[in-house]
Amino acid sequence: MVVLVTGASGQLGQSIKHIAASHSSLSFYYADSKEGDITNKAVLEKLFKEVKPDYCINAAAYTAVDKAETDKEQAYAVNVTGAKNLAEVCNAEGVKLIHISTDFVFDGTKSTPYTEEDSTNPQGVYGITKRQGEQEIEKALKEHYIVRTSWLYSQFANNFMKTMLRLAAERDSLGVIDDQKGTPTNAVDLAEAVLKIIESGKAAYGIYHYSNEGETSWYGFAKQIFETNNVTIDLKPIPTSAYPTPVKRPQYSVLDKSKIKYTFDIQINSWEKSLQLYK
């Protein structure tokens, strides 16, 4: 079975490469943002004709949350037009699509984990374009799986864990937000879950939530990162108000994983365990 991975140079793409050898029933083709430019439908059509994939994992996204506010055209091009292009080409070529989305489609006003049935209400350009991308896929392609995830990190590309370790090497003290709650998700665990969907062969199309288990704040996540890596730093919890950003982050964005666990028999690590495994 041939799996095309778009956005292959990002966290998820590199994580799939990292575990590919242990999934011998699958053959992978990795396309970066040039070869697999999802904003260019003609490029995608050519790529699909050459690769002849059975599945496409779309790990390509515009993820600069604050920058998106002033870079709306590019965020829309990647997150909306790109998703639409992929869905239409997948439909034309008979390819199943697994598209990665985000907890930012929610406004964060709940106090219990978000299910796939909860109403979306994105607050910034990033979240709005990611939700519009989901809707374009739903319109254009029946054979799709949309997997929303949260607080993605790994040993690959740029992410919160790497930023914390870099800052700790440069500073004696650090303030990190303690009043936003969510779940850190290791990209390798997400990659395993996505490949398990493919290997299941189940035509259970639709939206799914996936993150590691448990919940914490950014401060709690940072604290665990430093403890796990034996880093000593004066770490201070701060409120969101002390660190204003162009986009309001969800105060609470824990995802309910019941559907994906039940449908595909997926076992999920706690976020603390995954941090230990993939520090």
Side-chain angles (χ1 to χ4, degrees), residues 178-200:
D178 195 34
D179 57 358
Q180 294 173 18
K181 295 288 193 294
T183 308
T185 305
N186 192 278
V188 174
D189 284 342
L190 175 61
E192 290 282 9
V194 166
L195 298 189
K196 188 147 190 183
I197 290 172
I198 294 173
E199 289 166 338
S200 77

Side-chain angles (χ1 to χ4, degrees), residues 26-207:
L26 305 177
S27 174
F28 295 92
Y29 188 95
Y30 302 98
D32 60 20
S33 58
K34 185 180 179 184
E35 186 186 11
D37 180 2
I38 65 172
T39 68
N40 188 324
K41 194 173 180 183
V43 166
L44 288 180
E45 288 169 337
K46 181 173 181 287
L47 180 64
F48 274 63
K49 295 286 187 194
E50 290 172 357
V51 176
K52 296 181 173 59
D54 299 288
Y55 282 84
C56 174
I57 299 170
N58 181 32
Y62 185 105
T63 58
V65 175
D66 291 322
K67 191 181 175 189
E69 296 300 302
T70 53
D71 195 16
K72 294 177 184 177
E73 285 187 16
Q74 186 60 19
Y76 187 92
V78 177
N79 292 344
V80 186
T81 304
K84 181 175 187 281
N85 288 342
L86 265 176
E88 289 177 350
V89 175
C90 281
N91 189 51
E93 298 295 329
V95 176
K96 299 174 180 70
L97 176 64
I98 301 179
H99 174 76
I100 308 304
S101 194
T102 174
D103 57 328
F104 270 69
V105 300
F106 299 113
D107 60 17
T109 57
K110 272 189 83 178
S111 56
T112 55
Y114 280 94
T115 72
E116 293 82 356
E117 286 73 41
D118 281 323
S119 297
T120 56
N121 187 27
Q123 296 298 292
V125 170
Y126 167 65
I128 289 167
T129 56
K130 288 298 289 182
R131 178 58 184 142
Q132 289 174 327
E134 292 181 356
Q135 291 168 325
E136 291 294 347
I137 289 167
E138 289 171 325
K139 280 191 286 188
L141 178 67
K142 179 192 171 189
E143 296 178 316
H144 71 264
Y145 308 85
I146 292 168
V147 182
R148 295 174 180 151
T149 192
S150 66
W151 296 25
L152 207 60
Y153 75 95
S154 64
Q155 61 266 57
F156 309 110
N158 297 316
N159 56 71
F160 181 79
M161 179 178 74
K162 284 190 163 185
T163 299
M164 289 298 103
L165 293 173
R166 176 178 57 79
L167 291 175
E170 299 169 356
R171 305 179 186 178
D172 296 322
S173 65
L174 194 60
V176 179
I177 289 169
D178 195 34
D179 57 358
Q180 294 173 18
K181 295 288 193 294
T183 308
T185 305
N186 192 278
V188 174
D189 284 342
L190 175 61
E192 290 282 9
V194 166
L195 298 189
K196 188 147 190 183
I197 290 172
I198 294 173
E199 289 166 338
S200 77
K202 289 186 177 179
Y205 305 120
I207 295 177

Side-chain angles (χ1 to χ4, degrees), residues 187-234:
V188 174
D189 284 342
L190 175 61
E192 290 282 9
V194 166
L195 298 189
K196 188 147 190 183
I197 290 172
I198 294 173
E199 289 166 338
S200 77
K202 289 186 177 179
Y205 305 120
I207 295 177
Y208 292 88
H209 288 173
Y210 182 89
S211 70
N212 283 122
E213 295 282 21
E215 63 180 73
T216 188
S217 66
W218 290 109
Y219 167 79
F221 186 20
K223 187 169 183 285
Q224 197 74 37
I225 289 168
F226 295 138
E227 288 177 5
T228 302
N229 289 275
N230 299 311
V231 172
T232 302
I233 187 169
D234 178 22

